[in-house]
Amino acid sequence: MNEKIKELHALREKALKGGGEEAIKKQHAKGKWTARERIEYLVDPGSFLELDMFVRHRATGFGMEKRLAYGDGVVTGLAKVSGRRAVVIAQDFTFMGGSLGEMHAKKIVKAMRHALANGVPVIFLNDSGGARIQEGVDSLKGYGDIFYMNVMASGVIPQIAAIMGPCAGGAVYSPALMDFIIMVRRTSFMFVTGPRVVKAAIGEDVDEQSLGGADVHATKSGVAHFVADSDEGALNLIKALMTYLPSNNAEDPPYLNTGDPPDRADENLNALVPVDPNEAYDMKDVITRVLDRGTFLEVHAGWAQNAVTGFGRLAGAAVCVVANQPKHMAGVLDIDASDKIASFVRFCDAFNFPIITFVDVPGFLPGTAQEHGGIIRHGAKILYAYSEATVPKLTVILRKAYGGAYIAMGSSHLGADFVAAWPTAEIAVMGPEGAAEIVWRRDLASIKDPEERARKLAELAREYREKIANPYFAAGRGYIDAVIEPKETRPTLVRALEHIRSKRETRVWVPPKKHGLPPF
Ligand code: HXC
C-alpha cells in the first residue's frame, strides 16, 4: 500500500511541474505566473479540488509520444473564489505553449459541464498558443465543443475570461462568447490574425501589442472589459467581480451589508450640476455619492467613455449602473456607447440585477460616420435591451433628456418602474435653442440685425425651456414619478428599490415567442 501511495505522490509531483522547470523559468522571465500559481492566488485557501490531473493526450507522430505531461496543458477544478463556488480553468503555457488538443479541450468541456449543472460561474484563465498544430482537426473539434458550451452557459451562469498570455486565431471566440474579459498589460494579446498574416495579407506593419494588446482592446475595440497591470491585478479584479455576481440566473446577486446609511442625503449633489446646460461635470461623482461608499466597480471604463456602466451597491443590494457621461462628448450616444449600454443591460437583466440609470443625454451623435456605421442599428440595441429587461428598472434624469435618447435611456415608456427627475431636468424633443430655431424659423429670419436675432432666439429658447423642457411638463403627464432634490437621490432610490425588488418576470407580460430578434 505504501508503495502505491508513494507512486501517487511521485505522479502528483510530476503533474504539478506541468511542462517542466525550464519552461516554468521562461514563464517567470516573461513576468507571468504559472497556471497553478494563478489558481493558488485566485481561490480561497484550501478550496481547490482539482479534476483530471492525470489526463494525457493520445496524439502520435510529430514527436508527440515523447511529450506526455500529466494534465495536458490545462489545470481544471472546483473552488471557492471570494467565498463563492466557481469552476476554474487555467491553461498551462509551460506545456506545449498551453496549446489546445483533444484531451485539453475535453478537460475544459467537462469542467464547464460541472459549472452549468451546478449553477456556478466559470473562470477561464487563458494562456495558449491556440489550436495544437500536431493534433489537427481534433484541436478544432475541441474549440467547437468549447464554443458550444459557452453558448449553452450564456445567460445561465456568469462566464469570466482572463487573458494572461497569447490568445490568437479562433481561440479568441471562447472569451468573446463569455460575459467579461480581463486582459493583462504587456503580457497578453488577442487577435484573429497575427502580425505576420496581417503583413502577408494586406502589407500592414504592426506589432502584437499595437494590434491586440490590452489597452487596444480596452479603449478602441471594446473587446476587453477590464485591464490589469499584472497577473496579480487581473486575479484581484476577478475576486472583486465575484462579490457582485449571482452564481446563476435563478439566484439574486449576493447581498452585502456595507454599513452605509440608506437614508444618507448628500448636500453636494444639489450643487453638482452646473447652471449652464452646456457645461460639463463628472457623472461618476454622482454615481459614487449615491451608491454605498466605495462599491462602484466600473465595467468598460476605458471604452466609449461617453457612457458609464458598472456594478455597485445600494443599501447592500448589488445593482447595475448605466449612465451618460457629460464629461466625454457631452454624454452623447454613439455606436460604441450604444453597444456598451445594450450589452451591459442584457447581462444585468439575465442575472437579476436591478438597473439604475442616470440620464444626461443631448441625443444620438449626428454625422455621416455614425449614420454609415449604423447608428440606427446600434442605437436600436439600447431600446431593445431596456424594453426586454424585466428586472427592476429605476431611472434618474439629471439634466438633458432629448429625443430618442430620452426614450432609450431607461424611460418609463420602455418599462422603467420608477423615474425621478432633478429640478434641472430638461425633457423635450430637442434642446431649447434647436427647438426655437425650427419652430420660430420664419420670425427669426425676418429680423435683419444679427444681434437682435440672437437676443430673440435666446428669449424664445428660454420660453421653450420654461414651458416645455422641464421636469414638471413630463411629471404633469405622469411620465415621471417624482421630482426630487438632488440630495435626496440615494434615499429615494433605496426606498423605491425596497418596493420594486419583488418584481418577477413571470408577473410581467411578455408575448410567447421562441426568442426575440435584437438588432445584432
Ligand atoms: C503546438 C505550440 C503551439 C501550437 C506554441 N507551441 N503554440 N505547440 N501548437 N499552436 C509550443 C512551441 O512550439 C514551444 O514548444 C512552446 O509552445 C512555447 O512556444 P514559444 O514559441 O517558445 O513561446 P513564445 O516565444 O512565447 O511564443 C508564443 C506564441 C508562439 C506567440 C504563441 O508559440 C506562436 O506563434 N505559436 C503558434 C500560434 C498559432 O499560430 N497557433 C494557431 C492559431 S490558429 P517548445 O517545444 O519549443 O517548448 C488557431 C485556430 C483555432 O488557434 C481555431 C478554432 C476555431
Side-chain angles (χ1 to χ4, degrees):
M1 185 62 182
N2 270 350
E3 285 308 307
K4 292 286 178 198
I5 291 172
K6 267 191 204 157
E7 184 190 19
L8 170 63
H9 285 191
L11 291 179
R12 269 196 196 150
E13 226 15 68
K14 247 186 177 170
L16 292 177
K17 290 210 174 90
E21 299 290 357
E22 210 41 50
I24 292 174
K25 267 193 210 150
K26 274 194 195 163
Q27 178 84 345
H28 287 159
K30 287 179 193 148
K32 301 198 294 181
W33 286 348
T34 64
R36 289 185 182 282
E37 287 164 347
R38 287 167 178 164
I39 291 174
E40 194 183 335
Y41 184 79
L42 175 68
V43 307
D44 297 351
S47 72
F48 190 58
L49 177 58
E50 186 165 346
L51 303 172
D52 292 335
M53 185 186 229
F54 298 118
V55 160
R56 296 196 287 182
H57 70 72
R58 56 180 172 185
T60 52
F62 304 105
M64 288 295 282
E65 34 319 308
K66 292 193 202 109
R67 295 165 160 261
L68 266 172
Y70 289 114
D72 203 32
V74 63
V75 183
T76 59
L78 319 175
K80 281 196 172 172
V81 175
S82 301
R84 318 273 317 291
R85 291 186 302 144
V87 160
V88 179
I89 298 163
Q91 291 181 307
D92 177 4
F93 193 84
T94 66
F95 178 67
M96 297 189 74
S99 58
L100 184 141
E102 176 202 7
M103 300 310 286
H104 178 120
K106 278 198 167 148
K107 281 182 70 170
I108 293 173
V109 170
K110 190 199 226 182
M112 291 180 75
R113 274 190 204 287
H114 259 285
L116 195 49
N118 294 293
V120 298
V122 170
I123 299 170
F124 193 145
L125 312 180
N126 292 257
D127 191 357
S128 166
R132 189 173 293 159
I133 293 159
Q134 295 88 333
E135 296 196 36
V137 72
D138 282 337
S139 308
L140 302 184
K141 177 211 182 277
Y143 273 115
D145 291 346
I146 294 167
F147 300 160
Y148 184 81
M149 284 306 294
N150 284 135
V151 175
M152 291 305 108
S154 179
V156 183
I157 51 172
Q159 303 185 74
I160 303 170
I163 315 299
M164 310 181 86
C167 184
V172 298
Y173 288 114
S174 172
L177 289 166
M178 296 175 79
D179 304 316
F180 297 102
I181 296 182
I182 297 159
M183 290 188 73
V184 184
R185 276 199 180 91
R186 291 175 293 279
T187 49
S188 80
F189 56 80
M190 286 180 91
F191 37 66
V192 174
T193 43
R196 258 177 288 161
V197 178
V198 170
K199 175 76 181 164
I202 57 169
E204 190 180 303
D205 278 309
V206 65
D207 60 52
E208 278 169 357
Q209 285 300 314
S210 322
L211 186 61
D215 285 313
V216 166
H217 286 309
T219 60
K220 288 187 200 297
S221 72
V223 166
H225 300 78
F226 300 97
V227 189
D229 279 323
S230 61
D231 282 15
E232 185 181 351
L235 299 169
N236 285 339
L237 272 165
I238 297 175
K239 291 187 202 191
L241 196 51
M242 282 291 287
T243 64
Y244 291 97
L245 305 181
S247 295
N248 57 65
N249 64 338
E251 288 182 10
D252 281 339
Y255 169 87
L256 195 86
N257 186 356
T258 60
D260 197 351
D263 57 353
R264 175 175 57 76
D266 191 328
E267 284 288 342
N268 292 302
L269 288 176
N270 275 7
L272 206 137
V273 171
V275 179
D276 177 355
N278 296 321
E279 205 178 304
Y281 63 96
D282 190 350
M283 183 62 91
K284 287 187 216 169
D285 269 356
V286 177
I287 295 169
T288 50
R289 284 174 185 281
V290 171
L291 292 177
D292 293 359
R293 283 193 194 97
T295 64
F296 185 50
L297 176 64
E298 193 174 358
V299 177
H300 265 145
W303 178 61
Q305 294 185 33
N306 37 332
V308 180
T309 51
F311 296 104
R313 292 192 178 278
L314 206 50
V319 296
C320 282
V321 174
V322 177
N324 311 110
Q325 173 57 290
K327 222 177 96 176
H328 283 271
M329 299 161 67
V332 75
L333 291 175
D334 62 354
I335 289 170
D336 285 349
S338 300
D339 284 357
K340 172 169 163 174
I341 291 173
S343 63
F344 191 62
V345 165
R346 293 199 95 210
F347 175 85
C348 299
D349 181 47
F351 289 104
N352 311 316
F353 286 88
I355 299 167
I356 316 283
T357 306
F358 293 95
V359 184
D360 189 344
V361 63
F364 284 96
L365 185 61
T368 42
Q370 289 290 308
E371 296 294 351
H372 294 184
I375 184 70
I376 296 173
R377 197 159 44 81
H378 293 278
K381 293 179 193 172
I382 310 185
L383 295 157
Y384 198 104
Y386 269 109
S387 302
E388 180 191 44
T390 53
V391 289
K393 294 180 279 193
L394 293 83
T395 300
V396 184
I397 302 173
L398 280 61
R399 192 168 62 172
K400 294 171 196 168
Y402 294 146
Y406 152 68
I407 302 171
M409 289 301 297
S411 67
S412 55
H413 322 299
L414 302 190
D417 302 284
F418 178 80
V419 181
W422 288 7
T424 40
E426 293 181 10
I427 307 160
V429 175
M430 62 179 70
E433 284 73 18
E437 263 176 27
I438 292 176
V439 175
W440 292 287
R441 188 162 41 105
R442 278 200 206 92
D443 298 352
L444 289 166
S446 66
I447 303 170
K448 296 285 169 268
D449 176 23
E451 264 181 38
E452 172 62 13
R453 199 164 53 237
R455 199 193 52 74
K456 184 68 184 167
L457 176 64
E459 187 190 312
L460 291 167
R462 194 167 47 250
E463 192 183 330
Y464 186 84
R465 183 172 279 118
E466 277 165 14
K467 290 201 177 133
I468 291 185
N470 64 62
Y472 305 103
F473 189 84
R477 298 281 193 274
Y479 303 148
I480 284 170
D481 299 292
V483 182
I484 60 170
E485 246 189 272
K487 71 172 185 186
E488 299 165 351
T489 306
R490 173 180 166 81
T492 306
L493 287 175
V494 169
R495 231 174 302 143
L497 186 57
E498 206 180 315
H499 291 281
I500 298 164
R501 263 162 94 175
S502 55
K503 185 181 175 193
R504 287 290 173 270
E505 64 193 279
T506 44
R507 295 198 283 266
V508 178
W509 184 78
V510 179
K513 53 175 126 176
K514 185 177 175 191
H515 58 71
L517 298 167
F520 276 150

